[in-house]
Amino acid sequence: MAYDSFNILKSTAVPLTIENVDTDQIIPARFLKATERVGFGDNLFRDWRYNPDSTPKGDFVLNNPVYKGKILVGGKNFGSGSSREHAAWAIYDYGFRCVVSSFFADIFRNNCLNIGVLPVQVSAGFLEKIFAAIYHDPDTELEVNLPEQTISILSTGDKESFDINSYKKSNMLNGFDDIDYLLNIQSDIEEFAKKLPL
Amino acid sequence: MSKTLFDKVWDAHVVHKIEGGPDVLFIDRHLIHEVTSPVAFLGLRNRGIKVLYPERTFATADHNTPTINQHLPVEDPLSANQLKALEQNTAAYGIRHWGLGHNKNGIVHVIGPENGITQPGATIVCGDSHTSTHGAFGAIAFGIGTSEVEMVLSTQCIMQPKAKKMRITINGSLGKGVLPKDVALFIISKLTTSGATGYFVEYAGSVFEQMSMEGRMTVCNLSIEMGARGGMIAPDQTTFDYIQGREFSPKGADWDNVMAYWKTLKTDDDAVFDKELSFDGSEIEPMITYGTNPGMGIGITHEIPDAKQVEGGVATYEKSLGYMGFHEGDQMIGKKIDYVFLGSCTNGRIEDFRAFASLVKGKRKAEDVIVWLVPGSHIVEQQIKEEGLLNILTEAGFTLRQPGCSACLAMNDDKIPAGKYAVSTSNRNFEGRQGPGSRTLLASPLVAAAAAITGKVTDPRTLIQ
């Protein structure tokens, strides 16, 4: 088992309404110098979260104790830019298990799925409802049900279904990763390689 | 059945199809660097598995290497540690490594093509989003995460669903002073930073057919900045001429065999794309960005648009202009510049230095501007010297640094200070990308040269004889 399995997650959520959040914001490049996967959560959203002298910026949502939980809700086009998996690691290490947005950048989405953070893409309208519900009551809980592929706002009863391919869904439910699968078909891969022109 | 170029290359590499899931895709060439590989090697050790085909992986140190005094030990202990880890990991697993000081060292997306590693019809991945660069050769090339780096090391495969297909056609001819970088920034400004997400893009039309390989690499490099998985251009005689004779290119009978295959690598006439866009090349001006993502670009003579003219939320737009210290309706021309950066996997090739040198020849660097000229590799650096460009640059008051990613992502000491403005030939103008608080204006090597001479945003066409 390569990472925690994911089934049903019920949690309050942290709202980050800004759009086009790129992975340089999620984790700036100067924090990519580790050779192990530890401690990235400390620098999640580093330059939005801390002043240059390392004091917290009061107006950033992660510094507002009212908002907490295992779900991060982001504006449209979340995770654009650099392919650094460190962005997904930082989100995981901080304590998030699910990111919700109306649109995800491809590589970021893949990276999340590969480490056990569930990216949930909802409609723009549903995203607005989630933000509104959280701003109305920060203790609003969301329920992300992976087996049924639904996300609900428990206080309002609003519910929407989301897509995930059946292979990745099974991996997430069981905590398996792609290498487990690939190692099982290694002899097929080696046969395939013999026939390639390059 | 009719196929696109992308279909042909992708389908030829599918080892397995999983119903309702991703394809298992075989990877021909794997490029690695010091930042996104160490945790992948750690994964191999934890699982107790080996690298399946070490000869298919090529390593270089580029992201956090210094660009001066490369003969001295790297001062930053964390950077030094990553460089050492790459050296040890590649030695342990028998992977070719062109580390700091090696005569083939350079930016991963510069050294692949210039050594003939990048070839048409290949699948190429790297833990770096600008891997899309290699699509210029008719390869399928894209960036991957570290988990996938581990997959490729251990099994030479990744698992991904096939992307949708988009074709962007630009016919007509480009105007004076308009470079491939402008073409790319123009496309991104039209599509926005997420307009091609979910797609693999093929660039077609006379503008790309007439482009050099360096220009095609610049365009494909920036595909990721509109969200695309990658971009590609059908290989043609320009491509074959570039590759022939390079160290890792096929030789003799192998060359003839592979050429027969490479010549089939083009989209069939009646193949269908999920989306088609076309633009007129003569409409493209020298471009410049004014905001904090690469989609926020305009022709250099234009004014910064009003929030209501652009797609997306007003709050996000205002945050972006606030960060840049700009206002709706501002003219870009005349804005004062503090730094100029020529380099990166986007514009760190010989042609970029030729363009820069052509404009500054016989002029002087502006006194109050700091200019970093960083070649993409030692081979580019050598070429700059051999072609006499270094003399031109030196006479105009510039110095040349040593190769690396440098101020594109500021992992080394090449950081733009907070609040300062940089005209940069790199690929991203995100908040803090070039150093905490830095303000980036993305542009072509000619626009960079014009800024380096005048100290402000200047239309390079006014300086070209």
Side-chain angles (χ1 to χ4, degrees):
Chain A
M1 183 176 288
Y3 50 71
D4 307 340
S5 58
F6 191 111
N7 199 285
I8 296 172
L9 175 64
K10 197 158 77 167
S11 170
T12 52
V14 177
L16 185 64
T17 52
I18 206 86
E19 295 167 8
N20 302 323
V21 173
D22 59 77
T23 55
D24 273 88
Q25 307 316 312
I26 298 174
I27 183 108
R30 63 189 188 280
F31 299 110
L32 307 184
K33 297 188 181 187
T35 51
E36 292 177 48
R37 203 191 123 178
V38 288
F40 288 101
D42 294 343
N43 295 312
L44 176 66
F45 292 112
R46 176 76 199 196
D47 293 336
W48 285 355
R49 198 169 143 202
Y50 296 104
N51 293 306
D53 65 0
S54 296
T55 54
K57 290 183 178 178
D59 59 353
F60 187 60
V61 67
L62 290 189
N63 294 325
N64 186 341
V66 164
Y67 301 110
K68 52 195 175 299
K70 295 185 173 179
I71 301 171
L72 177 64
V73 187
K76 184 189 167 194
N77 193 30
F78 194 89
S80 59
S82 159
S83 60
R84 58 189 70 167
E85 193 167 298
H86 312 65
W89 299 341
I91 284 170
Y92 181 93
D93 191 49
Y94 184 86
F96 293 117
R97 291 295 174 270
C98 173
V99 184
V100 179
S101 179
S102 58
F103 199 82
F104 287 99
D106 275 339
I107 304 179
F108 176 79
R109 180 208 299 265
N110 248 331
N111 287 342
C112 284
L113 286 166
N114 283 336
I115 67 155
V117 171
L118 181 65
V120 173
Q121 187 162 320
V122 297
S123 67
F126 197 79
L127 187 70
E128 286 306 313
K129 284 183 185 172
I130 296 174
F131 282 137
I134 300 171
Y135 284 126
H136 178 70
D137 175 9
D139 291 327
T140 295
E141 283 192 310
L142 305 180
E143 184 181 281
V144 180
N145 185 319
L146 179 58
E148 298 202 341
Q149 295 178 223
T150 57
I151 175 167
S152 314
I153 307 170
L154 295 181
S155 59
T156 64
D158 286 303
K159 189 175 189 175
E160 194 168 272
S161 57
F162 62 86
D163 280 340
I164 180 170
N165 77 55
S166 54
Y167 166 82
K168 280 292 183 191
K169 178 178 174 178
S170 165
N171 270 7
M172 290 285 293
L173 287 169
N174 295 300
F176 295 152
D177 69 16
D178 288 351
I179 295 183
D180 299 330
Y181 183 96
L182 291 170
L183 289 172
N184 272 327
I185 60 163
Q186 190 171 318
S187 55
D188 294 357
I189 294 169
E190 290 178 65
E191 279 306 306
F192 185 89
K194 288 179 191 161
K195 298 176 202 146
L196 285 168
L198 292 174
Chain B
M1 202 181 96
S2 298
K3 287 184 166 193
T4 67
L5 167 62
F6 173 71
D7 290 326
K8 289 179 184 180
V9 181
W10 181 277
D11 295 350
H13 289 85
V14 175
V15 179
H16 263 298
K17 276 188 166 314
I18 298 172
E19 198 62 38
D23 290 343
V24 175
L25 190 73
F26 190 88
I27 302 302
D28 293 312
R29 303 276 188 275
H30 183 208
L31 306 166
I32 61 172
H33 60 83
E34 75 276 22
V35 176
T36 58
S37 66
V39 173
F41 283 109
L42 197 60
L44 293 186
R45 280 196 290 278
N46 289 341
R47 290 176 201 256
I49 50 180
K50 62 182 181 65
V51 174
L52 185 59
Y53 297 115
E55 70 281 9
R56 290 182 179 273
T57 294
F58 298 78
T60 184
D62 58 1
H63 276 59
N64 60 33
T65 52
T67 57
I68 50 168
N69 294 325
Q70 289 188 348
H71 60 290
L72 298 177
V74 174
E75 281 179 26
D76 175 1
L78 292 174
S79 295
N81 191 41
Q82 269 193 339
L83 297 172
K84 193 170 168 58
L86 184 66
E87 193 181 327
Q88 289 172 340
N89 285 328
T90 50
Y93 290 97
I95 293 167
R96 195 178 281 103
H97 175 226
W98 297 333
L100 194 58
H102 193 285
N103 62 8
K104 289 186 180 296
N105 176 256
I107 303 174
V108 66
H109 309 308
V110 176
I111 64 164
E114 72 187 6
N115 288 290
I117 296 163
T118 304
Q119 294 174 13
T123 47
I124 302 172
V125 295
C126 172
D128 187 285
S129 59
H130 293 109
T131 308
S132 57
T133 310
H134 309 267
F137 293 78
I140 286 181
F142 53 90
I144 56 176
T146 297
S147 294
E148 291 169 305
V149 173
E150 188 182 340
M151 289 176 213
V152 180
L153 289 171
S154 58
T155 70
Q156 207 60 36
C157 288
I158 59 164
M159 302 180 71
Q160 286 207 2
K162 192 174 174 183
K164 289 183 286 184
K165 293 161 283 182
M166 181 189 292
R167 179 161 60 189
I168 297 175
T169 304
I170 306 186
N171 285 310
S173 39
L174 299 176
K176 182 176 89 167
V178 177
L179 298 186
K181 179 66 165 287
D182 300 307
V183 175
L185 288 176
F186 173 85
I187 297 169
I188 303 163
S189 76
K190 296 292 180 194
L191 270 81
T192 80
T193 185
S194 59
T197 302
Y199 292 91
F200 216 96
V201 174
E202 180 178 344
Y203 300 97
S206 58
V207 162
F208 304 109
E209 286 161 15
Q210 288 159 18
M211 247 178 220
S212 66
M213 288 317 296
E214 284 85 353
R216 293 178 191 183
M217 285 188 251
T218 299
V219 170
C220 288
N221 171 282
L222 290 164
S223 302
I224 183 70
E225 306 309 335
M226 52 187 176
R229 287 298 276 134
M232 62 202 304
I233 294 173
D236 59 10
Q237 199 56 44
T238 306
T239 322
F240 309 140
D241 290 346
Y242 180 97
I243 298 169
Q244 193 164 25
R246 293 185 189 258
E247 183 175 347
F248 289 86
S249 70
K251 307 287 187 311
D254 286 346
W255 175 262
D256 297 336
N257 289 337
V258 90
M259 276 293 285
Y261 173 55
W262 289 351
K263 285 183 173 172
T264 68
L265 295 174
K266 52 188 163 199
T267 292
D268 296 331
D269 288 342
D270 46 355
V272 178
F273 289 82
D274 298 290
K275 192 168 184 178
E276 292 244 31
L277 294 170
S278 62
F279 302 102
D280 178 353
S282 64
E283 282 176 21
I284 305 172
E285 265 203 293
M287 297 285 293
I288 194 153
T289 65
Y290 59 89
T292 56
N293 73 56
M296 300 174 80
I298 47 176
I300 195 162
T301 61
H302 291 220
E303 295 167 358
I304 295 177
D306 293 337
K308 57 182 179 294
Q309 292 171 266
V310 298
E311 199 183 306
V314 172
T316 299
Y317 189 73
E318 285 175 349
K319 181 180 190 294
S320 179
L321 289 193
Y323 180 86
M324 293 301 293
F326 292 160
H327 303 92
E328 294 163 298
D330 282 2
Q331 280 284 347
M332 290 308 291
I333 286 181
K335 285 201 179 290
K336 196 184 165 312
I337 295 305
D338 307 294
Y339 284 76
V340 169
F341 172 55
L342 174 69
S344 85
C345 60
T346 310
N347 282 128
R349 298 186 181 79
I350 188 62
E351 199 165 89
D352 304 312
F353 283 82
R354 285 182 196 141
F356 189 96
S358 73
L359 194 131
V360 304
K361 187 175 184 181
K363 303 187 179 71
R364 285 296 296 176
K365 180 182 94 64
E367 288 281 324
D368 50 354
V369 178
I370 295 172
V371 181
W372 292 332
L373 308 180
V374 185
S377 69
H378 281 298
I379 291 178
V380 173
E381 182 186 27
Q382 196 54 36
Q383 222 170 336
I384 290 168
K385 290 174 183 167
E386 285 168 7
E387 291 187 10
L389 302 180
L390 183 59
N391 291 341
I392 294 171
L393 296 170
T394 307
E395 279 168 22
F398 299 98
T399 53
L400 193 64
R401 296 174 80 91
Q402 291 172 298
C405 296
S406 181
C408 174
L409 84 169
M411 275 194 82
N412 66 359
D413 290 337
D414 305 346
K415 291 177 170 59
I416 310 295
K420 298 293 184 188
Y421 291 96
V423 168
S424 178
T425 65
S426 55
N427 40 60
R428 287 182 176 138
N429 50 352
F430 297 149
E431 284 184 33
R433 169 79 179 185
Q434 298 195 282
S438 60
R439 292 157 158 173
T440 303
L441 287 71
L442 298 176
S444 76
L446 281 178
V447 173
I453 292 299
T454 62
K456 54 194 182 190
V457 175
T458 301
D459 187 338
R461 292 170 295 190
T462 61
L463 298 173
I464 300 172
Q465 275 89 33

